[in-house]
Amino acid sequence: MPLSAAAAMAATTVLVAGGAAASGTTAAGAGAAAVPADVEPVDVAPALGATAAPAPRADLSHHGYVTLWGDRIAIRIRSENRGPSDVTASTVRLRFSAPLAASQELPYGCLRAGKATVLCETGGLRSAGGARQTALDLTLTGSPDEVVVRLDTVWSGGARDTDRENDVHEVLAPATGDAYAF
């Protein structure tokens, strides 16, 4: 799935005025704006009479850290695939409890998907192969005391990931300038 298609898919979860998510529940930190709840992937049944090949299995993981100071937030992500199948492409979604400034310089392969959402393509990830690094340095609107960052995989190249615990994270980052790991 191209990154633009992943952006369209992620855009279906929209925050509406008052902080309620159009698609369901929200989670919010104290004094922080609402963040949409996770949306689980949906398995689509094959057409009547058709047989579907089993989806390849992969175990994507994202680890790194978040640093917040003033109106700046830095995120470093290490994405890898623990297998057993290779992944042709994947997309990681970052959602922030504070809105991002309107003007941002995003790295190649990343795009805005809302006022407080960024999608980044990680590229192909070989099974038990090397990791891909993603570095974002973003500006927020205002200087919040803390920001909650939610990170998850929204596209895994068609591979089925049964271990979602290592590619779905929520990090509370106080504005201390310290790195908070996930």
Side-chain angles (χ1 to χ4, degrees), residues 94-116:
L94 297 110
R95 293 176 287 170
F96 304 89
S97 62
L100 301 169
S103 178
Q104 296 287 333
E105 187 171 330
L106 297 173
Y108 179 80
C110 294
L111 59 84
R112 293 281 295 265
K115 291 181 180 179

Side-chain angles (χ1 to χ4, degrees), residues 83-182:
S85 300
D86 292 346
V87 171
T88 57
S90 69
T91 302
V92 63
R93 172 176 53 187
L94 297 110
R95 293 176 287 170
F96 304 89
S97 62
L100 301 169
S103 178
Q104 296 287 333
E105 187 171 330
L106 297 173
Y108 179 80
C110 294
L111 59 84
R112 293 281 295 265
K115 291 181 180 179
T117 304
V118 174
L119 299 171
C120 292
E121 181 179 31
T122 64
L125 297 170
R126 294 184 41 169
S127 174
R132 297 279 183 132
Q133 307 286 333
T134 304
L136 295 107
D137 294 302
L138 305 172
T139 305
L140 302 168
T141 55
S143 298
D145 293 332
E146 62 184 35
V147 170
V148 176
V149 179
R150 297 183 71 173
L151 179 139
D152 62 338
T153 302
V154 291
W155 174 247
S156 58
R160 184 175 173 94
D161 189 346
T162 56
D163 179 11
R164 297 298 309 253
E165 290 186 24
N166 58 2
D167 67 322
V168 176
H169 302 283
E170 184 172 309
V171 183
L172 172 63
T176 62
D178 297 325
Y180 294 91
F182 59 89

